[in-house]
Structures are given as C-alpha cells and as structure tokens.
Amino acid sequence: MTRRPGIVHVGIGAFARAHLAWYTEHATGEPWGITAFSGRSAGAADALAAQDGRYTLVTRGPDGDTAEVLDVLVAAHPADDVRALRDAVASPRTTIVTLTVTENGYRDGSSVPERLVAALAARRDAGGGRIALMSLDNLTHNGAVLGDAVRAAAADPALRDWIDASVSFPSSMVDRITPATTADDVASIAALPGALPDDTVPVVTEPFAEWVVEDAFDGIERPAWETAGVRVVADVTPYEQRKLWLLNGSHSLLAYLGLQLGHETVEQAMADPFCRAAVEDLWDEAARELPLPDAEVVEARAALVARFENARIRHTLRQIAGSGSQKLPVRVVDVVRHRFDRDPSTGIGPGAATAIAAWWLHLTTQPELADDPGAPGPDSDVHDVLGVIAPDLDTPPVVAAVSAAADRIRTAAETRAASPEGARA
C-alpha cells in the first residue's frame, strides 16, 4: 500500500505506536503515513527502520491477546537527525506534526521547540502551506502550551508572524494505557497469530482507546480519523479534565498509596478496599466539578474500573509514580481549586487529601523509589509538599486534612506489615 507521508511525529515511543498510529492505520479514505522521530533513544528508530516501519500491536484483553501488524510508519529517524526533520516538515505533502515528548518537552531548556521552529522556518522558505502542530501529551490545553513554546523559541519576528498566520495548534485528549513492553512480551508475541515474525519492537496495549481533537484544521488536510472513532469537537477542555481528573488523578493516587501498602501494579492496588475507597472519593470530588453530563461521567468511571481491574495489563505503580511534582497540580490540585472556587467554605475532599498525603509519604518513607527532581527531599514536612504543588493551599484546614490522611495511611501500612497476607486483601 502506498501511503501519503503527511504526518510527522516527534517522540515515537510505545504510546504513539499504540494510539496515533493505530487510529491512522484504521482511518478510511486516503491512506496516510507517519514519518517518525524517536525520543531520547535512537534505538527504537533503528529497530523500526530495520523492520521497514512495521511492528506488532498486541491488544491485551482480560481473556487473551490479539495481534495485528501496523505498517503506517513510512520512515523512522533518530531524534537528532535535524536535517531529516526539517525536510519532512518542509515537504508540501506534510500537513500534520504530532508530538509525544512528555511535559518536559515544552519547558524552558527543552530542545524540542527549537527543532520545530527550525523545521517551520524551512517550510516557510520552501513556500509550504498551512500546517497543524498537535501535542498528544497529558497537558491541559496542550495546543496552547505547544503554541506558546514554539512562538517563544522563534526569535525572528517575521517567522513568528508566519507561524501565527500559517500554523494551527489544536488541543487534543488522548487515552490508551500502554505499559512498557518486556522481554517476556517480545518472546511470547512471536507465537501469536497475526504477529510480525522476528519483531524486536512490538507494543502491548489495552483494548480501550480514546482520542478527542479540537476542530482547528481550517485549510489543513488531515486523515479521516473520525472514521476510526476519534471525536472532533469545538472545545476539548471538558474531556481533558475528565481524563486528567479521573484516569490520571486516580493513577497517581493508586501509585503512591499502593506502593505504601506493598502493591506493585494498578490491578493489585485497585483490588485493595482501602485504595479503592480512596479512588472513589477522588472520583466523587472530580465528578462534582466536571462540566459534563452525569451519565457520561458515570460511564467513564465504570470503564476505568474495568480497565484498572484488567490483570493482564501489568501497569506498574513505579512506572506511574514519577514526576509527581509536575503531575499532581493538574491531576489533583486543579480539582481542589475548582472545588474552592465553587464553594469557598468547603474543605479539601478526602480523596485529594489522601493523594497528597500518599505522595508526601512516598517521598519521605520510600525515597529510593522517588523519581522526581522537582520534589522536596526525604526530610520534608507537609508544608514543604504543599509549597511545591499548591502554595495557596498551605492553610491550617488543608494541612490538618492532609496530616490526618497521612496518619490513616501509616496505620494501614503498619497493619499490612504486621499481617503480610493482608497486603493484597
């Protein structure tokens, strides 16, 4: 099949190959292809190039695995191949650039915006038409965040004017749990019907997938993603909030609380009544602030329970637990602020208090597991923790609620330590 090389993707890790590539592969109409650039490691690009861009996507459901070969990648380059990126973005056949570069890719000091600006300058010089740059990272208003980062990196005023006139930055909400592929996965996938023979870079994912995209493609060609289930809407914000507050917020809570109680995976933590109750509290608090129909929120919560209980998706808590100083403000604290804006007399909810307390205990009692340069140290107190993620919430009522939640967690952890067989009860 001949594919139009119309998409450039920066950061072609497992998630992008399970999400963007899957939707692009399954969209009807003109077949589109993706020119991929790796993230921090060139190994993935080299391995994909050796397989002509083809790889196995394994969908791991509760009852078994199914495999399909995706061949939507038309080229794979290492991240530092700046010339290839410029050429790909400058090509008149390219109209979409997508990114999965994590939160750090948009921060001061990241080279990503500079590389994009150089590529956009090449497109302008080549007389290229309108183009959309779209973040697929878990950031609120990620289109605006990406647009701000690109404009800030464009020192030439004339180039900034061209970007304003010719580049769109649609926001998007993406969702599909994609755990790290293990050596055992690679070995077992080889025997699955439909798998690519001798595949060294397969991807394992869950059955669930969701993508909500802002309708900001005026004059810009794109794949017919909606034919594969993508929702194209005027405002992505409510869906971003639903994903961040329900899925991501409970993931962070389960990670920090579950590790305190001796669990290793999301499925194990979700089966623990103490953790499950905290998750339901957090979801109750988020549901009150979400600007979506109640029925849709109830449906989303039920889907999350089924996803979290899928024991065949081994999503480790340590994999989720990193960078809490960056994640908790948008996943948990944002809900608290909406709660206070709606009713200044209300207190912090028990779900949010437990999430913050669990992160505090994670940093102070399990510092060897902490992977977060922005976090306070192992001798931090509750004021230090709030000072990092929410200085405005460092008030006596919030401090008291978080401290009380920490006491409850300590008691539960001590009980589990005294009765090891109860750790996964």
Side-chain angles (χ1 to χ4, degrees):
M1 177 189 296
T2 301
R3 292 184 174 274
R4 168 182 173 168
I7 303 170
V8 170
H9 183 79
V10 179
I12 193 70
F15 175 77
R17 290 193 283 139
H19 190 274
L20 165 70
W22 183 86
Y23 277 108
T24 303
E25 176 92 25
H26 287 272
T28 62
E30 180 184 14
W32 285 60
I34 300 170
T35 301
F37 291 82
S38 66
R40 288 171 290 185
S41 170
D46 294 340
L48 286 166
Q51 297 178 182
D52 296 324
R54 304 173 76 227
Y55 62 93
T56 307
L57 181 67
V58 175
T59 302
R60 181 152 291 169
D63 301 322
D65 293 347
T66 59
E68 63 176 317
V69 175
L70 301 189
D71 67 351
V72 70
L73 303 185
V74 296
H77 303 278
D80 60 1
D81 193 340
V82 178
R83 176 173 293 180
L85 179 63
R86 291 179 181 178
D87 290 346
V89 174
S91 169
R93 302 200 72 189
T94 298
T95 56
I96 305 288
V97 177
T98 53
L99 299 92
T100 46
V101 293
T102 76
E103 295 94 331
N104 289 331
Y106 308 88
R107 297 180 183 275
D108 291 343
S110 169
S111 65
V112 173
E114 293 177 358
R115 296 203 306 268
L116 291 173
V117 166
L120 290 171
R123 184 177 183 87
R124 178 199 60 180
D125 295 344
R130 285 179 55 75
I131 189 170
L133 270 59
M134 184 162 52
S135 168
L136 307 185
D137 285 300
N138 287 322
L139 298 166
T140 304
H141 308 306
N142 55 17
V145 172
L146 174 58
D148 289 345
V150 168
R151 293 184 184 95
D156 178 5
L159 179 58
R160 285 199 301 272
D161 290 343
W162 182 88
I163 290 172
D164 289 339
S166 304
V167 183
S168 176
F169 297 94
S171 286
S172 72
M173 185 278 281
V174 299
D175 190 2
R176 194 169 204 185
I177 296 172
T178 308
T181 304
T182 67
D184 288 343
D185 289 329
V186 175
S188 64
I189 285 167
L192 277 178
L196 180 70
D198 302 319
D199 191 350
T200 64
V201 282
V203 176
V204 177
T205 193
E206 65 170 333
F208 181 91
E210 186 176 20
W211 193 5
V212 183
V213 177
E214 181 185 2
D215 190 4
F217 297 91
D218 185 36
I220 300 170
E221 294 181 278
R222 63 168 177 82
W225 283 315
E226 54 267 70
T227 64
V230 176
R231 189 183 310 192
V232 181
V233 300
D235 184 8
V236 176
T237 302
Y239 305 97
E240 291 176 335
Q241 292 172 331
R242 168 165 61 79
K243 195 279 182 85
L244 284 166
W245 297 352
L246 296 185
L247 170 64
N248 300 127
S250 58
H251 259 173
S252 290
L253 170 58
L254 287 170
Y256 303 126
L257 185 56
L259 288 169
Q260 286 290 306
L261 300 180
H263 301 303
E264 296 181 1
T265 67
V266 168
E267 179 266 335
Q268 291 171 359
M270 195 64 174
D272 184 324
F274 190 89
C275 295
R276 176 65 179 270
V279 166
E280 295 291 351
D281 284 340
L282 193 72
W283 285 348
D284 287 345
E285 293 155 26
R288 294 187 189 99
E289 312 308 327
L290 280 170
L292 289 169
D294 290 344
E296 184 170 336
V297 177
V298 169
E299 181 182 358
R301 290 174 64 162
L304 285 174
V305 171
R307 296 167 68 189
F308 289 177
E309 291 180 343
N310 182 357
R312 302 192 68 255
I313 290 289
R314 183 174 171 78
H315 204 176
T316 66
L317 301 179
R318 291 187 65 173
Q319 181 184 356
I320 299 167
S323 303
S325 62
Q326 299 173 26
K327 295 174 180 176
L328 287 179
V330 293
R331 297 180 176 191
V332 175
V333 174
D334 196 27
V335 177
V336 179
R337 290 205 176 100
H338 277 75
R339 180 183 175 95
F340 286 170
D341 287 345
R342 177 176 52 80
D343 182 2
S345 67
T346 192
I348 185 173
T354 301
I356 295 170
W359 183 55
W360 174 26
L361 295 178
H362 174 72
L363 298 173
T364 55
T365 68
Q366 300 173 322
E368 72 281 3
L369 302 182
D371 180 14
D372 189 353
D379 58 347
S380 60
D381 62 18
V382 65
H383 300 287
D384 298 325
V385 166
L386 290 171
V388 169
I389 60 172
D392 56 311
L393 298 184
D394 189 0
T395 64
V398 172
V399 168
V402 173
S403 299
D407 288 340
R408 291 192 294 271
I409 297 170
R410 291 188 189 99
T411 299
E414 290 168 0
T415 301
R416 306 304 169 84
S419 178
E421 66 275 9
R424 291 182 174 82

